[in-house]
Amino acid sequence: VIEEIEVAPPQANEVRIKIVSTALCHSDLYCLLKVVEKEFFPVVLGHEAAGIVESVGPGVTEFQPGDKVIPLYLPQCGECRFCKSPKTNQCDVIWTRMGSKEMALEKSRLTCNGLKLRQFMGISTFSEYTVAHQMAVAKIDPDAPLDKVCLLGCGVCTGYGAAVNTAKVEPGSTCAVFGLGAVGLAAVMGCEAAGAKRIIVVDINPDKFEKAREFGATDFVNPKDHNKPISQVLMEMTGGGVDYSLECVGDVECMRSALESCVKGWGVSVIVGLTDMQDVTTRPLQLTSGRTWTGCLFGGFKSKDAVPKMVKDYLEKKLKLDEFISHTMTMDEINDAIDLMKQGKWYIQPQLT
């Protein structure tokens, strides 16, 4: 529902942001439809946005009113053991401040009719204003178009980084990308940027294949066209399996298929899609034969460091963003946008009148 809410002034080390543009991510839909703990609600969803700093709290020196920013669901405190390690982009704050249900509610600056609302991933961008800790905000180039770079708040960085940072796709390699939402398309773009010679995309909706071609896909596979496991299809297509596979759906059967599509000896499969509802399994031989099974959050990017650089790459035309955008809608139309996502109809362009 659309409600008028109160967004409190920022407290110490916090920033209040006027959200200019926010994108929909399937993770919002996952939490809306699949989270069963009633304590999670009421919540303001949204975590992929760009905006302008409206005010800052005591102790904030990095930002000032008027700065263009992207809120970050994955913070970078710069002080914890994870932030100090080059081996990961995860920050202990996401598990302590944001991962704790009690702490997330306590730190929320959003209320509605006196009732405190949970801030989703610490940022809640489906609101005209939000408040975030300064460690969860990235200042970006003042020339950046906010209606485009908002996509760098989650989906594009997640898919692109999964290929270049986590899988570490090599020039001349063969890749498979499972799922052609925004994250999957970004993974295709990352594979191409890394120099992959062959990028096979897998999706049950063939209408998405032409869009995937724009991002670098070379081969298209629809599992519905085959009466054998998709991993076997890919094995036969590649003479033993792909070098890298990226699962961008959030489905445990798809995760297994992606792993088993990899070549034995050195194949790497990355879990990118979000789910926490089921266990994922495979036969041990799939791993003892030399495959690597791993996963990533936010594409392995250290958020405050990487997001401004990704914005710069877009401004220098090294990164596609405009091509991801199928619809531009108002906040009043958010339920229509969610319906489009539920139906997987984002690829159908709206009629111009």
Side-chain angles (χ1 to χ4, degrees):
V1 295
I2 296 175
E3 297 271 10
E4 288 214 358
I5 68 171
E6 297 78 44
V7 182
Q11 297 188 18
N13 300 309
E14 293 180 342
V15 178
R16 186 159 62 183
I17 303 166
K18 176 179 173 60
I19 299 295
V20 174
S21 292
T22 186
L24 278 174
C25 176
H26 210 278
S27 300
D28 299 304
L29 201 60
Y30 169 83
C31 292
L32 181 65
L33 300 177
K34 295 190 177 180
V35 170
V36 295
E37 298 94 340
K38 62 182 181 180
E39 299 82 13
F40 182 77
F41 302 94
V43 62
V44 178
L45 294 171
H47 64 285
E48 187 173 309
I52 298 171
V53 173
E54 179 269 340
S55 58
V56 301
V60 174
T61 57
E62 184 182 349
F63 304 96
Q64 59 186 13
D67 285 343
K68 286 188 175 181
V69 295
I70 292 179
L72 306 168
Y73 75 86
L74 177 60
Q76 185 182 346
C77 74
E79 298 298 328
C80 70
R81 63 180 295 197
F82 299 102
C83 283
K84 289 180 177 179
S85 171
K87 296 179 180 180
T88 183
N89 67 328
Q90 297 194 32
C91 173
D92 198 43
V93 172
I94 195 173
W95 309 117
T96 54
R97 178 186 168 96
M98 292 161 58
S100 160
K101 293 178 184 177
E102 296 76 17
M103 187 70 76
L105 192 60
E106 178 188 328
K107 297 291 184 181
S108 174
R109 304 292 174 242
L110 311 181
T111 56
C112 181
N113 298 322
L115 176 66
K116 212 159 195 183
L117 306 174
R118 190 176 303 281
Q119 278 192 250
F120 185 55
M121 295 188 175
I123 53 178
S124 286
T125 64
F126 291 172
S127 170
E128 292 178 297
Y129 289 86
T130 193
V131 174
H133 196 282
Q134 63 178 341
M135 71 179 72
V137 182
K139 183 160 64 174
I140 61 173
D141 192 302
D143 293 331
L146 300 180
D147 60 333
K148 307 294 194 303
V149 299
C150 61
L151 297 176
L152 295 172
C154 180
V156 172
C157 285
T158 297
Y160 187 88
V164 300
N165 297 329
T166 308
K168 294 181 170 60
V169 171
E170 295 177 323
S173 59
T174 297
C175 303
V177 175
F178 288 68
L180 292 176
V183 173
L185 293 174
V188 172
M189 181 169 64
C191 291
E192 183 187 49
K197 69 176 180 182
R198 192 176 183 190
I199 305 169
I200 305 166
V201 294
V202 182
D203 200 289
I204 59 174
N205 188 339
D207 292 330
K208 297 180 180 180
F209 289 164
E210 195 54 43
K211 175 61 75 170
R213 194 187 304 275
E214 288 182 39
F215 290 92
T218 60
D219 298 79
F220 310 90
V221 176
N222 182 349
K224 291 183 176 180
D225 293 340
H226 301 274
N227 58 5
K228 62 182 74 171
I230 198 65
S231 57
Q232 186 177 338
V233 173
L234 293 183
M235 286 276 188
E236 293 170 358
M237 287 177 64
T238 57
V242 298
D243 300 301
Y244 304 95
S245 67
L246 300 105
E247 191 280 342
C248 304
V249 179
D251 176 85
V252 294
E253 290 302 318
C254 192
M255 292 170 188
R256 178 171 184 169
S257 293
L259 171 71
E260 296 176 1
S261 299
C262 285
V263 65
K264 63 185 179 183
W266 63 79
V268 175
S269 185
V270 183
I271 295 174
V272 190
L274 171 70
T275 184
D276 196 30
M277 307 298 290
Q278 297 170 287
D279 292 338
V280 59
T281 61
T282 191
R283 294 293 180 93
L285 186 61
Q286 297 292 338
L287 298 173
T288 56
S289 61
R291 297 176 181 89
T292 298
W293 208 2
T294 187
C296 66
L297 195 62
F298 199 58
F301 283 116
K302 286 187 180 287
S303 56
K304 284 176 74 77
D305 294 340
V307 166
K309 293 178 183 176
M310 292 286 279
V311 170
K312 185 178 179 182
D313 283 348
Y314 166 69
L315 293 174
E316 294 177 354
K317 303 188 184 307
K318 298 176 183 176
L319 189 75
K320 291 184 173 75
L321 286 183
D322 302 48
E323 292 82 356
F324 286 93
I325 299 171
S326 62
H327 297 69
T328 300
M329 306 170 79
T330 67
M331 184 61 81
D332 288 341
E333 299 173 297
I334 191 167
N335 285 312
D336 297 327
I338 288 172
D339 285 340
L340 283 171
M341 179 172 280
K342 283 181 186 176
Q343 299 162 22
K345 297 291 180 66
W346 55 262
Y347 56 88
I348 297 177
Q349 296 298 319
Q351 295 294 316
L352 299 178
T353 57

